[in-house]
Amino acid sequence: MPLATPHILIAEDDPADAVLATEALAEVAPTARVVHTPDARAALDLLRAQPRRLELCLLDLNMPGFGGLDVLAARQLDPVARLVPVVVFTTSSSPRDVAKAWELGANAVVTKPLDLDEYIATIGTIARFWLQVVALPERGP
């Protein structure tokens, strides 16, 4: 059953990708509250501070300095934050990056399509799966 007001975090340093993801999410989940941060440390802070309010995090791996892999590693240490599904949505298709993201607890790793229509469709597929198909654990009020 779809959530009435899902909360989604987009951790993405590329402004154009963040806008595209937000617009694609608005089509699939028009009632969603989307929070964007271009900073991985801020994303981690939100995962830690609001884990009961987030149903999904789209995480870019390649952010300057403290990046997506660092977020995943730190998230593993927080028993509530690690209940938030994190989909790594990245330009990297490196087998090493994919393996490391899975090792650090990513719930999925998806390579960003280069084609605009495919990009939007992929975001839609991710959102529908995590917000309408998957049963998420109870995390309290």
Side-chain angles (χ1 to χ4, degrees), residues 98-119:
V98 171
K100 192 66 175 174
W102 279 102
E103 178 186 317
L104 292 173
N107 296 97
V109 179
V110 178
T111 302
K112 293 176 186 175
L114 297 177
D115 178 80
L116 178 61
D117 291 334
E118 286 180 40
Y119 185 101

Side-chain angles (χ1 to χ4, degrees), residues 2 4 6 8 24 29 32 34 47 60 70 80 85 93 110 114 123 128 130 135 137:
I8 302 167
V34 178
L47 284 170
D60 185 26
D70 299 309
V80 179
S93 59
V110 178
L114 297 177
I123 290 283
R128 277 189 291 281
W130 286 102

Side-chain angles (χ1 to χ4, degrees), residues 44 47 71-78 81-82 84 86 104-107:
L44 179 59
L47 284 170
V71 170
L72 289 171
R75 172 181 163 261
Q76 285 297 88
L77 302 175
D78 187 311
R82 69 176 177 227
V84 177
V86 174
L104 292 173
N107 296 97

Side-chain angles (χ1 to χ4, degrees), residues 16-115:
D17 280 353
V19 168
L20 279 176
T22 300
E23 289 176 357
L25 288 168
E27 289 182 26
V28 176
T31 62
R33 291 191 182 152
V34 178
V35 174
H36 166 248
T37 180
D39 179 83
R41 284 192 192 278
L44 179 59
D45 289 344
L46 287 167
L47 284 170
R48 288 178 172 157
Q50 299 184 20
R52 288 174 168 74
R53 294 192 46 100
L54 290 171
E55 281 77 37
L56 178 62
C57 173
L58 295 176
L59 176 66
D60 185 26
L61 278 189
N62 301 315
M63 291 186 269
F66 188 87
L69 292 175
D70 299 309
V71 170
L72 289 171
R75 172 181 163 261
Q76 285 297 88
L77 302 175
D78 187 311
V80 179
R82 69 176 177 227
L83 294 178
V84 177
V86 174
V87 174
V88 171
F89 194 55
T90 182
T91 56
S92 176
S93 59
S94 156
R96 182 174 180 215
D97 285 345
V98 171
K100 192 66 175 174
W102 279 102
E103 178 186 317
L104 292 173
N107 296 97
V109 179
V110 178
T111 302
K112 293 176 186 175
L114 297 177
D115 178 80

